[in-house]
Amino acid sequence: MRLREGSFILVLALAAFTLLSLCSYHLSDSGWSSYHSNSGIKNAAGVAGAWLADIMLYFCGYVSFALPFIGVYLG
């Protein structure tokens, strides 16, 4: 029982991080598809969030915004 609760909390935290990084995505952030050395990271989740949002939006498009909710539902 505790393993299920712990895994749900982990899934919830990952989904929140993913949603935060997607909502604060900015085109001028350095990521997988672009590199901008002269500007700071504007993503609220930092460098990892900028990379995650860039990869997810590149491969999945706007469907990426639904993926954290689907993950929480399945968790």
Side-chain angles (χ1 to χ4, degrees):
M1 185 69 173
R2 290 183 191 256
L3 185 61
R4 290 169 124 190
E5 291 172 357
S7 63
F8 179 70
I9 291 171
L10 181 65
V11 166
L12 194 63
L14 289 173
F17 178 77
T18 303
L19 193 61
L20 177 69
S21 65
L22 285 170
C23 288
S24 62
Y25 174 74
H26 198 272
L27 286 172
S28 68
D29 286 342
S30 294
W32 181 69
S33 65
S34 63
Y35 177 72
H36 301 282
S37 62
N38 58 353
S39 64
I41 299 293
K42 294 178 178 68
N43 197 312
V47 177
W51 273 77
L52 178 67
D54 193 27
I55 289 171
M56 289 183 71
L57 287 171
Y58 183 81
F59 284 112
C60 301
Y62 288 114
V63 176
S64 301
F65 286 96
L67 294 178
F69 296 108
I70 293 170
V72 168
Y73 177 74
L74 293 175

